[in-house]
Each structure stands twice: as C-alpha cells, then as structure tokens.
C-alpha cells in the first residue's frame, strides 16, 4: 500500500478548499491547493505530491484534465475525484483516466479518510487500459511501454534508489539497473 505524505486539493470554492486543507493537515499531511486546472498544472510541475483530491467541475476544465496531468507526473500521484453533480458518464471517464476513488460532495472527514484508504489500496485494471492500445501499438511496444512506465514510477517513488525500486517492482536491484541502462542507451 502506498504511503501518502502530501496532497494537492483542487477545488474552485475557497471555503471548500480551506475546509479540506484543515482536515487533511490535521492528519499530519502536507497540503497544497489549487483553484483550477491551470493552477493544478503549475503545482504538479513544481511539486511531487502523493495524492490529488480534485473536484470534477472546475472553471477552466474538469477533473479528467487534472487526472490526465497527474498520470504524467513522476511519481504519478493517486487521484480521488469529488463532485455533487457528476454524471455516470463523467464518473466512468474519470476511472478511465486513473481516478482511484470517486466521492460525493459534500464529503465529511470520515468519508474522506475512507476514500484516502481506498485510493491507497487501488490497483489500476490494466485489462481495461491495455485493450485501448490494440490497433495503435504492437504487443512488443505495449509491453515495453508498461515496463518503462512501471520502472519510471518505481524509481521516482524510491527517489532513485535501485534497491528500493526493485522491492517495489518485486525484481532485483540488478534488473532495475539493467532496465535503466537499456533505457538510456
């Protein structure tokens, strides 16, 4: 289960952002806030966060845009989406873009804690994601892409420590070094 030390809260309502920040900081976590997709992009480009808690509807886009940004961050944070009015289609699309958990607003501290715990246990279903590559990527390229992304994530989570990255991936330190060398060649 992944550890959470820092959280990015993305919500356009100042009062909601402040309440979420207070709650999460009371748990001993570092909190950064953003009020839009653009602000979230700036934060994610400057700070590594472990989890993103985003509203679905934002003034300049949606939680899907925030989830896409999070997927490209290294290390890629866990993502929880929240909304008081998201449709089934929106919830489905959020899941397709890496959102681990969806919660209805208003959310209380206990619901939020459960959502954090659920996100930490979430394992993306590659069976849903990989079929989208069919017809666009060869099997060899798909396997290499999955391997490269898993390696990059593990190395980032371990802050470059090959032994720790190997433990995360359940491979040897030497295999991590070999993959890194091959990637750089």
């Amino acid at each position: 289960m992944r550890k959470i030390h820092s959280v990015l809260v993305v919500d356009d309502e100042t009062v909601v952002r402040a309440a979420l920040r207070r709650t999460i900081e009371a748990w001993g976590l570092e909190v950064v806030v953003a009020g839009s997709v653009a602000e979230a992009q700036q934060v994610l480009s400057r700070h590594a966060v472990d989890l993103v808690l985003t509203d679905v509807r934002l003034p300049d886009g949606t939680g899907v845009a925030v989830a896409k940004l999070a997927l490209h961050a290294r290390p890629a944070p866990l993502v929880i989406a929240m909304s008081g009015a998201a449709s089934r289609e929106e919830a489905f699309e959020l899941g397709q873009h890496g959102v681990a958990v969806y919660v209805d607003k208003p959310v209380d501290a206990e619901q939020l804690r459960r959502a954090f715990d659920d996100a930490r246990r979430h394992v993306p279903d590659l069976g849903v994601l990989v079929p989208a590559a069919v017809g666009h990527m060869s099997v060899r390229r798909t396997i290499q892409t999955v391997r490269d992304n898993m390696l990059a994530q593990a190395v980032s989570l371990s802050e470059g420590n090959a032994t720790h990255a190997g433990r995360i991936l359940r491979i040897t330190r030497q295999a991590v070094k070999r993959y890194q060398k091959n990637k750089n060649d």
Side-chain angles (χ1 to χ4, degrees), residues 70-105:
L71 278 175
H72 291 93
R74 287 297 175 258
L78 301 168
V79 181
I80 296 173
M82 58 185 173
S83 177
S87 68
R88 282 184 161 171
E89 292 80 17
E90 287 172 312
F92 180 75
E93 187 177 6
L94 289 162
Q96 288 183 309
H97 290 93
V99 173
V101 178
Y102 173 84
V103 293
D104 288 317
K105 279 173 127 179

Side-chain angles (χ1 to χ4, degrees), residues 130 133-147:
V130 171
V134 173
H136 301 283
M137 293 172 67
S138 69
V139 170
R140 178 176 289 162
R141 184 165 169 232
T142 301
I143 291 168
Q144 187 64 46
T145 299
V146 170
R147 181 181 296 137

